[in-house]
Protein backbone atom coordinates (compact mmCIF):
# COMPACT_ATOMS: atom_id res chain seq x y z
CA UNK A 1 0.00 0.00 0.00
CA UNK A 2 1.13 3.54 -0.60
CA UNK A 3 0.28 6.73 1.19
CA UNK A 4 -1.37 9.94 0.05
CA UNK A 5 -1.25 12.47 2.88
CA UNK A 6 -2.16 16.10 2.50
CA UNK A 7 -2.41 19.33 4.36
CA UNK A 8 -6.20 19.34 4.36
CA UNK A 9 -6.67 22.08 6.91
CA UNK A 10 -10.26 23.28 6.48
CA UNK A 11 -10.70 20.72 3.70
CA UNK A 12 -14.35 21.53 3.13
CA UNK A 13 -14.73 24.84 4.94
CA UNK A 14 -12.09 26.67 2.91
CA UNK A 15 -14.01 26.02 -0.27
CA UNK A 16 -17.54 26.03 1.06
CA UNK A 17 -17.12 29.51 2.51
CA UNK A 18 -16.67 30.74 -1.05
CA UNK A 19 -20.08 29.58 -2.19
CA UNK A 20 -22.37 29.12 0.80
CA UNK A 21 -23.63 32.71 0.86
CA UNK A 22 -24.34 32.65 -2.88
CA UNK A 23 -26.32 29.46 -2.56
CA UNK A 24 -28.40 30.91 0.23
CA UNK A 25 -29.17 33.99 -1.84
CA UNK A 26 -29.93 32.17 -5.08
CA UNK A 27 -32.09 29.28 -3.88
CA UNK A 28 -35.70 29.55 -2.81
CA UNK A 29 -36.41 28.32 0.69
CA UNK A 30 -38.08 24.94 1.15
CA UNK A 31 -41.28 25.64 3.05
CA UNK A 32 -43.63 23.10 4.61
CA UNK A 33 -47.30 23.77 3.92
CA UNK A 34 -49.56 21.09 5.46
CA UNK A 35 -52.47 22.14 3.25
CA UNK A 36 -50.73 21.26 -0.02
CA UNK A 37 -49.02 18.07 -1.19
CA UNK A 38 -45.28 18.21 -1.72
CA UNK A 39 -43.97 16.69 -4.94
CA UNK A 40 -40.26 16.58 -4.18
CA UNK A 41 -37.86 14.64 -1.98
CA UNK A 42 -36.04 16.47 0.80
CA UNK A 43 -33.16 15.03 2.80
CA UNK A 44 -32.15 16.91 5.95
CA UNK A 45 -28.59 16.44 7.21
CA UNK A 46 -27.96 17.47 10.80
CA UNK A 47 -24.32 18.54 11.04
CA UNK A 48 -22.03 20.59 8.78
CA UNK A 49 -18.68 19.08 9.66
CA UNK A 50 -16.56 17.09 7.25
CA UNK A 51 -18.72 13.98 7.66
CA UNK A 52 -21.98 15.85 7.05
CA UNK A 53 -20.63 17.81 4.09
CA UNK A 54 -19.11 14.76 2.42
CA UNK A 55 -22.48 13.11 2.86
CA UNK A 56 -24.19 16.08 1.19
CA UNK A 57 -21.67 16.12 -1.64
CA UNK A 58 -21.99 12.48 -2.66
CA UNK A 59 -25.77 12.39 -2.31
CA UNK A 60 -26.13 15.60 -4.33
CA UNK A 61 -23.76 14.30 -6.97
CA UNK A 62 -25.62 10.99 -7.24
CA UNK A 63 -28.99 12.69 -7.42
CA UNK A 64 -27.79 15.09 -10.08
CA UNK A 65 -26.50 12.23 -12.21
CA UNK A 66 -29.39 9.81 -11.75
CA UNK A 67 -32.59 11.82 -11.39
CA UNK A 68 -32.42 14.52 -14.06
CA UNK A 69 -34.62 12.60 -16.52
CA UNK A 70 -36.99 11.07 -13.97
CA UNK A 71 -37.70 13.98 -11.65
CA UNK A 72 -38.81 17.34 -13.09
CA UNK A 73 -38.05 18.91 -9.71
CA UNK A 74 -34.82 17.38 -8.43
CA UNK A 75 -34.59 16.18 -4.81
CA UNK A 76 -33.34 18.75 -2.33
CA UNK A 77 -30.74 18.57 0.42
CA UNK A 78 -30.75 20.83 3.47
CA UNK A 79 -27.82 20.91 5.92
CA UNK A 80 -28.78 22.06 9.43
CA UNK A 81 -25.94 23.27 11.64
CA UNK A 82 -26.29 24.71 15.20
CA UNK A 83 -23.14 26.82 14.83
CA UNK A 84 -22.81 29.96 12.69
CA UNK A 85 -20.41 28.37 10.19
CA UNK A 86 -19.41 25.04 8.71
CA UNK A 87 -16.77 22.78 10.28
CA UNK A 88 -16.98 24.44 13.72
CA UNK A 89 -15.52 21.48 15.65
CA UNK A 90 -12.75 18.99 14.96
CA UNK A 91 -13.28 19.33 11.19
CA UNK A 92 -12.01 22.90 11.29
CA UNK A 93 -9.12 22.23 13.66
CA UNK A 94 -7.61 18.99 12.43
CA UNK A 95 -3.99 18.61 11.35
CA UNK A 96 -5.13 17.38 7.96
CA UNK A 97 -3.09 14.30 7.06
CA UNK A 98 -4.80 11.48 5.16
CA UNK A 99 -3.76 7.99 4.09
CA UNK A 100 -5.00 4.47 3.51
CA UNK A 101 -3.36 2.96 6.61
CA UNK A 102 -3.60 2.94 10.37
CA UNK A 103 -7.14 1.49 10.44
CA UNK A 104 -8.45 -1.58 12.21
CA UNK A 105 -9.27 -4.60 10.06
CA UNK A 106 -12.94 -3.65 10.37
CA UNK A 107 -12.42 -0.15 8.94
CA UNK A 108 -9.69 -0.88 6.38
CA UNK A 109 -12.04 -1.47 3.39
CA UNK A 110 -13.75 1.86 4.08
CA UNK A 111 -10.38 3.58 4.47
CA UNK A 112 -9.09 2.22 1.17
CA UNK A 113 -12.29 3.26 -0.61
CA UNK A 114 -12.06 6.75 0.85
CA UNK A 115 -8.38 6.99 -0.09
CA UNK A 116 -9.18 6.20 -3.73
CA UNK A 117 -11.94 8.81 -3.73
CA UNK A 118 -9.51 11.38 -2.34
CA UNK A 119 -7.22 10.65 -5.29
CA UNK A 120 -10.08 11.05 -7.77
CA UNK A 121 -11.12 14.34 -6.20
CA UNK A 122 -7.54 15.58 -6.20
CA UNK A 123 -7.27 15.00 -9.93
CA UNK A 124 -10.73 16.37 -10.71
CA UNK A 125 -10.28 19.65 -8.88
CA UNK A 126 -6.54 20.24 -9.41
CA UNK A 127 -6.14 20.73 -5.71
CA UNK A 128 -2.40 21.45 -5.81
CA UNK A 129 -2.89 24.28 -8.27
CA UNK A 130 -6.13 25.66 -6.87
CA UNK A 131 -5.72 25.08 -3.16
CA UNK A 132 -2.00 24.77 -2.50
CA UNK A 133 -2.22 21.31 -0.96
CA UNK A 134 0.96 19.29 -0.96
CA UNK A 135 2.34 15.91 0.00
CA UNK A 136 3.83 15.09 3.34
CA UNK A 137 6.72 13.11 4.81
CA UNK A 138 6.12 11.70 8.28
CA UNK A 139 8.95 11.08 10.74
CA UNK A 140 9.07 9.50 14.18
CA UNK A 141 11.78 10.41 16.67
CA UNK A 142 12.91 8.03 19.43
CA UNK A 143 15.82 7.94 21.85
CA UNK A 144 18.61 5.63 20.77
CA UNK A 145 18.21 2.11 22.19
CA UNK A 146 14.57 2.90 23.07
CA UNK A 147 12.77 -0.12 24.60
CA UNK A 148 9.33 1.29 25.41
CA UNK A 149 6.09 1.22 23.44
CA UNK A 150 6.53 3.18 20.23
CA UNK A 151 4.09 5.96 19.31
CA UNK A 152 3.03 5.75 16.53
CA UNK A 153 3.67 1.98 16.51
CA UNK A 154 5.57 0.24 13.72
CA UNK A 155 2.29 -1.33 12.56
CA UNK A 156 0.73 2.10 12.01
CA UNK A 157 2.34 2.77 8.63
CA UNK A 158 1.90 0.77 5.40
CA UNK A 159 5.54 -0.40 5.28
CA UNK A 160 8.15 -0.97 8.00
CA UNK A 161 9.68 2.28 9.25
CA UNK A 162 12.81 3.29 7.35
CA UNK A 163 15.68 4.33 9.61
CA UNK A 164 17.15 7.57 8.36
CA UNK A 165 19.73 10.11 9.43
CA UNK A 166 18.73 12.84 11.88
CA UNK A 167 19.89 15.40 9.30
CA UNK A 168 16.82 14.54 7.21
CA UNK A 169 14.56 16.22 9.76
CA UNK A 170 13.40 19.73 8.80
CA UNK A 171 15.46 22.74 9.80
CA UNK A 172 12.82 23.93 12.25
CA UNK A 173 13.49 20.92 14.53
CA UNK A 174 16.26 21.25 17.12
CA UNK A 175 17.87 17.85 16.81
CA UNK A 176 19.83 15.76 19.30
CA UNK A 177 22.70 13.31 18.83
CA UNK A 178 20.83 10.93 21.14
CA UNK A 179 17.93 10.56 18.69
CA UNK A 180 17.07 7.80 16.28
CA UNK A 181 14.83 8.85 13.38
CA UNK A 182 12.44 6.74 11.32
CA UNK A 183 10.60 7.73 8.17
CA UNK A 184 7.07 6.35 8.63
CA UNK A 185 5.46 7.41 5.35
CA UNK A 186 6.12 9.45 2.23
CA UNK A 187 4.97 9.75 -1.41
CA UNK A 188 3.16 13.12 -1.66
CA UNK A 189 -0.32 13.85 -2.98
CA UNK A 190 -3.43 15.78 -1.92
CA UNK A 191 -7.23 15.81 -1.83
CA UNK A 192 -10.23 18.09 -2.23
CA UNK A 193 -14.03 18.10 -2.15
CA UNK A 194 -16.77 20.64 -2.91
CA UNK A 195 -20.55 21.05 -2.92
CA UNK A 196 -20.85 23.99 -5.31
CA UNK A 197 -23.67 24.01 -7.89
CA UNK A 198 -25.18 20.79 -6.57
CA UNK A 199 -28.24 22.28 -4.90
CA UNK A 200 -27.19 21.97 -1.26
CA UNK A 201 -28.82 24.49 1.07
CA UNK A 202 -27.58 25.48 4.53
CA UNK A 203 -29.38 26.54 7.71
CA UNK A 204 -26.84 27.86 10.21
CA UNK A 205 -27.53 28.65 13.88
CA UNK A 206 -30.27 26.04 13.77
CA UNK A 207 -31.09 22.73 15.41
CA UNK A 208 -33.55 19.98 14.49
CA UNK A 209 -35.89 19.76 17.49
CA UNK A 210 -38.67 17.40 16.36
CA UNK A 211 -39.85 15.27 13.45
CA UNK A 212 -43.21 14.33 12.01
CA UNK A 213 -43.72 10.78 10.83
CA UNK A 214 -45.43 10.12 7.51
CA UNK A 215 -48.48 7.88 7.40
CA UNK A 216 -48.03 4.19 6.56
CA UNK A 217 -44.37 4.49 5.56
CA UNK A 218 -41.00 4.21 7.22
CA UNK A 219 -40.15 7.82 6.56
CA UNK A 220 -40.76 11.35 7.73
CA UNK A 221 -42.98 14.16 6.55
CA UNK A 222 -41.20 17.10 8.13
CA UNK A 223 -38.60 18.24 10.61
CA UNK A 224 -38.93 21.28 12.85
CA UNK A 225 -35.81 23.44 13.01
CA UNK A 226 -35.29 25.97 15.79
CA UNK A 227 -32.97 28.93 15.18
CA UNK A 228 -30.56 30.34 17.75
CA UNK A 229 -32.06 33.82 17.74
CA UNK A 230 -33.27 35.98 20.63
CA UNK A 231 -36.84 34.98 19.77
CA UNK A 232 -35.94 31.29 19.20
CA UNK A 233 -37.90 31.25 15.96
CA UNK A 234 -38.62 27.95 14.27
CA UNK A 235 -39.44 26.62 10.82
CA UNK A 236 -40.92 23.37 9.56
CA UNK A 237 -38.98 21.88 6.66
CA UNK A 238 -40.37 19.03 4.55
CA UNK A 239 -38.22 16.00 5.14
CA UNK A 240 -38.42 12.41 3.97
CA UNK A 241 -34.99 11.23 5.13
CA UNK A 242 -33.03 12.56 8.10
CA UNK A 243 -29.28 12.03 8.48
CA UNK A 244 -27.67 12.60 11.88
CA UNK A 245 -24.03 13.56 11.31
CA UNK A 246 -23.38 15.74 14.33
CA UNK A 247 -20.02 14.32 15.40
CA UNK A 248 -19.82 13.99 19.20
CA UNK A 249 -23.18 15.78 19.42
CA UNK A 250 -24.92 13.01 17.46
CA UNK A 251 -26.09 11.21 20.60
CA UNK A 252 -27.73 14.40 21.89
CA UNK A 253 -29.56 14.91 18.60
CA UNK A 254 -30.72 11.29 18.48
CA UNK A 255 -32.00 11.14 22.07
CA UNK A 256 -33.78 14.50 21.70
CA UNK A 257 -35.62 13.50 18.52
CA UNK A 258 -36.28 9.89 19.52
CA UNK A 259 -36.59 9.80 23.33
CA UNK A 260 -38.46 6.47 23.25
CA UNK A 261 -36.04 4.67 20.93
CA UNK A 262 -35.22 1.09 21.89
CA UNK A 263 -31.65 1.49 20.70
CA UNK A 264 -29.18 4.02 22.11
CA UNK A 265 -26.42 5.94 20.37
CA UNK A 266 -23.46 5.92 22.71
CA UNK A 267 -20.76 8.56 22.37
CA UNK A 268 -17.95 9.38 24.77
CA UNK A 269 -18.93 12.96 25.58
CA UNK A 270 -16.09 13.88 27.91
CA UNK A 271 -13.07 12.60 26.00
CA UNK A 272 -11.24 15.66 24.74
CA UNK A 273 -9.23 15.45 21.53
CA UNK A 274 -6.75 17.93 22.91
CA UNK A 275 -5.53 21.47 22.52
CA UNK A 276 -3.67 22.71 19.47
CA UNK A 277 -1.96 25.88 18.32
CA UNK A 278 -0.20 27.23 15.27
CA UNK A 279 3.07 29.15 15.49
CA UNK A 280 5.25 30.97 13.00
CA UNK A 281 7.95 28.75 11.57
CA UNK A 282 11.30 29.89 13.04
CA UNK A 283 13.03 28.59 9.89
CA UNK A 284 10.75 29.67 7.00
CA UNK A 285 11.00 27.44 3.97
CA UNK A 286 11.93 28.72 0.52
CA UNK A 287 8.68 28.96 -1.47
CA UNK A 288 8.39 25.94 -3.76
CA UNK A 289 5.13 24.75 -5.26
CA UNK A 290 6.51 21.20 -5.42
CA UNK A 291 7.76 21.09 -1.82
CA UNK A 292 6.32 18.62 0.65
CA UNK A 293 5.02 19.20 4.12
CA UNK A 294 6.67 17.45 7.05
CA UNK A 295 5.14 15.96 10.17
CA UNK A 296 7.35 14.93 13.08
CA UNK A 297 6.10 12.77 15.97
CA UNK A 298 8.02 13.56 19.16
CA UNK A 299 5.95 11.34 21.48
CA UNK A 300 8.79 9.00 22.38
CA UNK A 301 11.27 11.70 23.44
CA UNK A 302 8.88 13.83 25.51
CA UNK A 303 8.91 13.59 29.33
CA UNK A 304 5.99 12.53 31.55
CA UNK A 305 4.07 10.57 28.90
CA UNK A 306 3.25 13.74 26.96
CA UNK A 307 2.45 13.49 23.26
CA UNK A 308 3.06 16.09 20.55
CA UNK A 309 3.49 16.19 16.80
CA UNK A 310 4.48 19.17 14.68
CA UNK A 311 3.41 19.72 11.07
CA UNK A 312 4.55 22.37 8.61
CA UNK A 313 1.90 24.33 6.71
CA UNK A 314 2.15 26.21 3.43
CA UNK A 315 1.97 29.66 5.03
CA UNK A 316 5.25 29.26 6.96
CA UNK A 317 3.44 28.20 10.09
CA UNK A 318 3.72 25.06 12.20
CA UNK A 319 0.78 23.16 13.67
CA UNK A 320 1.39 21.83 17.18
CA UNK A 321 -1.03 19.02 17.96
CA UNK A 322 -1.44 15.77 19.79
CA UNK A 323 -1.41 17.54 23.16
CA UNK A 324 -3.71 16.47 25.96
CA UNK A 325 -6.55 18.41 27.52
CA UNK A 326 -8.27 18.56 30.88
CA UNK A 327 -11.46 16.48 30.43
CA UNK A 328 -14.62 18.58 30.37
CA UNK A 329 -18.27 17.78 29.60
CA UNK A 330 -19.29 18.33 26.00
CA UNK A 331 -20.82 21.83 25.67
CA UNK A 332 -24.13 22.38 23.97
CA UNK A 333 -22.65 23.76 20.74
CA UNK A 334 -19.35 23.28 18.93
CA UNK A 335 -18.59 27.00 18.92
CA UNK A 336 -18.70 26.90 22.74
CA UNK A 337 -15.60 24.67 22.86
CA UNK A 338 -12.73 26.89 24.00
CA UNK A 339 -8.99 26.23 24.26
CA UNK A 340 -7.56 25.65 27.71
CA UNK A 341 -4.98 28.40 28.09
CA UNK A 342 -2.96 26.60 30.75
CA UNK A 343 -2.58 23.59 28.44
CA UNK A 344 -1.72 25.84 25.49
CA UNK A 345 1.01 27.49 27.59
CA UNK A 346 2.39 24.07 28.51
CA UNK A 347 2.30 22.99 24.88
CA UNK A 348 4.23 26.09 23.76
CA UNK A 349 6.75 25.69 26.57
CA UNK A 350 7.37 22.10 25.55
CA UNK A 351 7.56 22.96 21.85
CA UNK A 352 10.29 25.55 22.46
CA UNK A 353 12.60 22.75 23.56
CA UNK A 354 12.32 21.05 20.17
CA UNK A 355 12.14 23.99 17.79
CA UNK A 356 15.16 25.81 16.36
CA UNK A 357 14.84 28.88 18.56
CA UNK A 358 17.36 31.05 20.34
CA UNK A 359 16.85 31.23 24.13
CA UNK A 360 15.14 34.63 24.01
CA UNK A 361 13.63 34.35 20.54
CA UNK A 362 9.90 35.09 20.34
CA UNK A 363 7.62 32.23 19.32
CA UNK A 364 4.58 33.81 17.71
CA UNK A 365 1.48 31.76 18.48
CA UNK A 366 -1.95 32.14 16.87
CA UNK A 367 -5.03 30.12 15.93
CA UNK A 368 -5.28 28.28 19.24
CA UNK A 369 -8.08 25.79 19.72
CA UNK A 370 -9.49 22.63 21.23
CA UNK A 371 -11.88 20.12 19.77
CA UNK A 372 -13.73 16.93 20.61
CA UNK A 373 -13.45 14.01 18.25
CA UNK A 374 -16.57 11.90 17.65
CA UNK A 375 -15.69 8.80 19.65
CA UNK A 376 -18.45 6.19 19.56
CA UNK A 377 -18.71 3.41 22.14
CA UNK A 378 -17.37 0.99 21.02
CA UNK A 379 -14.76 2.88 18.99
CA UNK A 380 -15.85 2.37 15.36
CA UNK A 381 -17.72 4.38 12.74
CA UNK A 382 -21.51 4.22 12.66
CA UNK A 383 -22.91 4.29 9.12
CA UNK A 384 -26.42 2.90 9.03
CA UNK A 385 -30.10 3.22 8.21
CA UNK A 386 -31.79 2.67 11.55
CA UNK A 387 -34.54 0.06 11.61
CA UNK A 388 -37.84 1.87 12.00
CA UNK A 389 -39.01 -0.54 14.70
CA UNK A 390 -36.17 0.64 16.95
CA UNK A 391 -37.15 4.31 16.98
CA UNK A 392 -40.24 4.16 19.18
CA UNK A 393 -42.38 7.29 18.95
CA UNK A 394 -40.48 10.26 17.48
CA UNK A 395 -40.65 13.65 19.13
CA UNK A 396 -43.35 15.38 17.10
CA UNK A 397 -43.83 19.05 16.21
CA UNK A 398 -46.55 20.90 18.08
CA UNK A 399 -49.55 22.63 16.49
CA UNK A 400 -49.22 21.06 13.06
CA UNK A 401 -51.92 19.72 10.79
CA UNK A 402 -52.45 15.94 10.50
CA UNK A 403 -49.74 14.34 8.36
CA UNK A 404 -50.28 13.50 4.73
CA UNK A 405 -49.42 10.07 3.44
CA UNK A 406 -46.09 9.78 1.69
CA UNK A 407 -47.97 8.69 -1.41
CA UNK A 408 -49.43 12.20 -1.56
CA UNK A 409 -46.20 13.91 -0.62
CA UNK A 410 -43.82 12.16 -2.98
CA UNK A 411 -45.52 9.89 -5.50
CA UNK A 412 -42.15 9.23 -7.11
CA UNK A 413 -39.21 9.08 -4.76
CA UNK A 414 -35.46 8.93 -5.33
CA UNK A 415 -34.42 8.60 -1.69
CA UNK A 416 -35.44 5.92 0.79
CA UNK A 417 -37.10 7.60 3.74
CA UNK A 418 -36.15 7.07 7.34
CA UNK A 419 -33.41 7.83 9.82
CA UNK A 420 -29.73 7.48 8.97
CA UNK A 421 -26.76 7.93 11.30
CA UNK A 422 -23.23 8.75 10.18
CA UNK A 423 -20.79 9.47 12.99
CA UNK A 424 -18.11 7.93 15.22
CA UNK A 425 -15.12 8.41 12.89
CA UNK A 426 -12.94 9.51 15.83
CA UNK A 427 -9.66 10.98 14.51
CA UNK A 428 -10.18 9.76 10.94
CA UNK A 429 -13.00 12.06 9.83
CA UNK A 430 -10.96 13.84 7.14
CA UNK A 431 -9.58 10.58 5.85
CA UNK A 432 -12.85 8.63 5.85
CA UNK A 433 -15.11 11.52 4.77
CA UNK A 434 -15.41 10.73 1.03
CA UNK A 435 -15.76 6.96 1.49
CA UNK A 436 -18.24 7.34 4.32
CA UNK A 437 -20.21 9.91 2.32
CA UNK A 438 -20.38 7.70 -0.75
CA UNK A 439 -21.51 4.63 1.21
CA UNK A 440 -24.20 6.59 3.04
CA UNK A 441 -25.48 7.99 -0.26
CA UNK A 442 -25.74 4.47 -1.62
CA UNK A 443 -27.82 3.44 1.39
CA UNK A 444 -30.15 6.41 0.91
CA UNK A 445 -30.64 5.56 -2.76
CA UNK A 446 -31.29 1.89 -2.04
CA UNK A 447 -28.08 0.74 -3.72
CA UNK A 448 -25.61 -1.90 -2.61
CA UNK A 449 -22.85 -0.13 -0.65
CA UNK A 450 -19.35 -0.12 -2.10
CA UNK A 451 -17.99 -1.76 1.07
CA UNK A 452 -19.78 -3.91 3.68
CA UNK A 453 -21.44 -1.79 6.38
CA UNK A 454 -23.16 -4.37 8.59
CA UNK A 455 -20.44 -3.92 11.22
CA UNK A 456 -21.17 -0.16 11.32
CA UNK A 457 -24.75 -0.59 12.54
CA UNK A 458 -26.00 1.01 15.75
CA UNK A 459 -25.98 -1.41 18.66
CA UNK A 460 -28.73 -1.83 21.23
Amino acid sequence: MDFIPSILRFLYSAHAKLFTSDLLQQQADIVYDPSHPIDQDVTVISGAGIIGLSRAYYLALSLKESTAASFPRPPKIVVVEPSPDICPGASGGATGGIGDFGFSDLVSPLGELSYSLHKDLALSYQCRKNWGFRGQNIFRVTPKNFTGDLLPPDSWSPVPPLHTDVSNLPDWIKTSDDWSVQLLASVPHSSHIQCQDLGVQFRFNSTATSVQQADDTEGFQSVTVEFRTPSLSSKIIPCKALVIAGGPWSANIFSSLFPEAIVKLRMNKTWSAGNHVRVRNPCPEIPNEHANSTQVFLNNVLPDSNTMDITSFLDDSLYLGGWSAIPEPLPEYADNVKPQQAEIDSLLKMARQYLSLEPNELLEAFDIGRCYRPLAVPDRPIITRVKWSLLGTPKKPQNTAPPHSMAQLAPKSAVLGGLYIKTGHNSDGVTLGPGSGKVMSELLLGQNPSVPVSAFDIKS
Side-chain angles (χ1 to χ4, degrees):
M1 295 187 297
D2 57 353
F3 176 63
I4 297 185
S6 171
I7 294 304
L8 296 177
R9 181 172 54 92
F10 305 137
L11 171 65
Y12 302 94
S13 58
H15 181 78
K17 287 177 182 177
L18 299 179
F19 69 83
T20 298
S21 59
D22 291 339
L23 279 174
L24 292 174
Q25 294 172 1
Q26 294 172 2
Q27 296 182 349
D29 199 4
I30 301 175
V31 180
Y32 171 72
D33 183 353
S35 64
H36 294 88
I38 300 170
D39 60 356
Q40 63 183 21
D41 291 339
V42 179
T43 299
V44 173
I45 299 174
S46 180
I50 283 179
I51 295 301
L53 292 182
S54 65
R55 167 71 194 83
Y57 170 79
Y58 279 100
L59 178 61
L61 188 65
S62 297
L63 290 173
K64 183 177 182 180
E65 293 174 347
S66 63
T67 64
S70 303
F71 294 83
R73 297 180 65 183
K76 300 292 184 181
I77 300 170
V78 179
V79 178
V80 175
E81 169 54 50
S83 298
D85 205 349
I86 63 175
C87 301
S91 299
T95 308
I98 65 170
D100 66 344
F101 62 85
F103 306 110
S104 66
D105 292 342
L106 182 71
V107 183
S108 285
L110 180 64
E112 292 172 7
L113 169 66
S114 196
Y115 169 84
S116 67
L117 293 172
H118 271 298
K119 290 193 293 185
D120 293 342
L121 290 164
L123 294 174
S124 298
Y125 297 111
Q126 302 180 51
C127 60
R128 176 178 286 275
K129 175 183 177 181
N130 295 330
W131 301 102
F133 297 151
R134 54 180 174 171
Q136 186 177 63
N137 296 314
I138 299 180
F139 295 92
R140 181 185 65 195
V141 177
T142 61
K144 289 182 177 178
N145 302 318
F146 183 70
T147 59
D149 295 330
L150 293 168
L151 290 176
D154 286 348
S155 59
W156 179 71
S157 52
V159 295
L162 176 65
H163 286 272
T164 186
D165 192 81
V166 69
S167 63
N168 289 322
L169 290 175
D171 292 340
W172 41 264
I173 284 286
K174 185 189 298 181
T175 60
S176 168
D177 293 336
D178 294 329
W179 285 359
S180 173
V181 179
Q182 301 85 42
L183 177 64
L184 296 183
S186 58
V187 185
H189 214 291
S190 53
S191 188
H192 169 81
I193 195 169
Q194 66 172 10
C195 295
Q196 188 172 14
D197 299 329
L198 291 178
V200 179
Q201 299 188 23
F202 293 82
R203 301 291 178 268
F204 295 115
N205 294 307
S206 61
T207 304
T209 57
S210 59
V211 292
Q212 186 172 21
Q213 180 179 342
D215 279 352
D216 305 323
T217 65
E218 296 187 352
F220 303 108
Q221 176 170 305
S222 65
V223 58
T224 298
V225 174
E226 186 173 281
F227 294 88
R228 291 171 60 186
T229 61
S231 61
L232 293 179
S233 60
S234 62
K235 179 177 293 186
I236 299 177
I237 299 175
C239 169
K240 182 180 180 184
L242 173 65
V243 181
I244 296 178
W249 287 268
S250 296
N252 297 354
I253 300 170
F254 179 76
S255 61
S256 174
L257 295 177
F258 305 96
E260 299 181 18
I262 299 173
V263 70
K264 300 299 181 184
L265 178 57
R266 295 182 175 90
M267 306 289 293
N268 189 324
K269 299 179 183 179
T270 59
W271 185 74
S272 175
N275 294 275
H276 59 265
V277 61
R278 288 168 62 200
V279 299
R280 294 299 176 193
N281 192 337
C283 299
E285 301 174 359
I286 299 175
N288 184 347
E289 62 175 329
H290 302 294
N292 295 328
S293 168
T294 303
Q295 183 177 30
V296 180
F297 283 92
L298 295 162
N299 304 333
N300 302 300
V301 297
L302 299 182
D304 303 325
S305 300
N306 291 304
T307 58
M308 178 177 63
D309 53 89
I310 306 177
T311 304
S312 61
F313 279 7
L314 280 171
D315 59 355
D316 279 333
S317 69
L318 301 175
Y319 181 101
L320 313 181
W323 195 256
S324 62
I326 302 170
E328 295 179 1
L330 187 72
E332 186 175 5
Y333 303 111
D335 49 314
N336 293 146
V337 179
K338 305 301 181 184
Q340 298 167 332
Q341 190 59 52
E343 293 298 312
I344 295 293
D345 293 342
S346 297
L347 172 58
L348 291 171
K349 182 178 180 180
M350 182 68 70
R352 287 194 64 93
Q353 302 179 44
Y354 299 94
L355 293 176
S356 298
L357 293 166
E358 297 298 328
N360 297 320
E361 185 177 352
L362 176 67
L363 181 62
E364 181 186 350
F366 63 102
D367 193 19
I368 64 175
R370 182 170 65 94
C371 51
Y372 291 78
R373 291 167 177 161
L375 175 61
V377 181
D379 183 8
R380 54 163 180 74
I382 298 174
I383 308 171
T384 188
R385 182 178 187 238
V386 183
K387 294 180 180 178
W388 196 259
S389 60
L390 299 178
L391 293 179
T393 303
K395 185 177 179 181
K396 297 181 179 180
Q398 298 179 351
N399 302 321
T400 60
H404 295 287
S405 68
M406 288 303 296
Q408 282 182 295
L409 292 173
K412 192 174 184 180
S413 175
V415 174
L416 295 179
L419 176 70
Y420 299 77
I421 298 179
K422 183 170 177 272
T423 188
H425 296 74
N426 200 347
S427 60
D428 295 319
V430 173
T431 304
L432 296 177
S436 181
K438 179 176 176 59
V439 167
M440 178 58 78
S441 297
E442 292 166 341
L443 293 178
L444 270 152
L445 296 174
Q447 303 170 354
N448 292 326
S450 297
V451 297
V453 295
S454 58
F456 303 143
D457 201 357
I458 187 172
K459 307 298 182 182
S460 59

